[in-house]
Amino acid sequence: MSCPPAQEALLYKARQVLAQGLLETEAAEAPPSPCISVCRMDEDRSHCVGCLRTLEELRLWGKTDAATQRQIWHAVLQRCELTP
């Protein structure tokens, strides 16, 4: 899966988060949510069309630790083919 062309907002946010070092293991703060306020599932309900998170990743986000949030971000980056 790659980021749809309309997801420039997600790519922009991903680049900011990477540039700030928030996905590094030793980062002092947790990364922000990948949400770009385009909240709806794709046709097969496997991913949000805005942030490319799965239903399980969406459920986990608010109640998990920063390390797991970084793992979720890395999964999103892989789906966008934008790996650090």
Side-chain angles (χ1 to χ4, degrees):
M1 167 185 295
S2 61
C3 277
Q7 296 309 320
E8 288 300 316
L10 178 59
L11 291 172
Y12 178 79
K13 189 169 194 175
R15 289 182 185 114
Q16 284 185 315
V17 170
L18 286 166
Q20 293 169 354
L22 296 175
L23 299 186
E24 301 298 324
T25 305
E26 59 279 340
E29 61 184 273
S33 167
C35 181
I36 59 166
S37 298
V38 178
C39 305
R40 67 179 183 277
M41 299 306 287
D42 63 3
E43 285 185 25
D44 66 2
R45 300 194 49 78
S46 64
H47 296 87
C48 171
V49 298
C51 66
L52 301 181
R53 288 182 288 174
T54 65
L55 279 174
E56 184 61 20
E57 290 166 346
L58 290 164
R59 284 187 198 110
L60 280 175
W61 187 268
K63 57 186 173 191
T64 195
D65 60 12
T68 303
Q69 290 175 342
R70 287 184 185 93
Q71 289 174 349
I72 292 170
W73 254 112
H74 284 289
V76 168
L77 294 175
Q78 287 178 340
R79 290 177 196 129
C80 281
E81 299 172 3
L82 184 70
T83 52

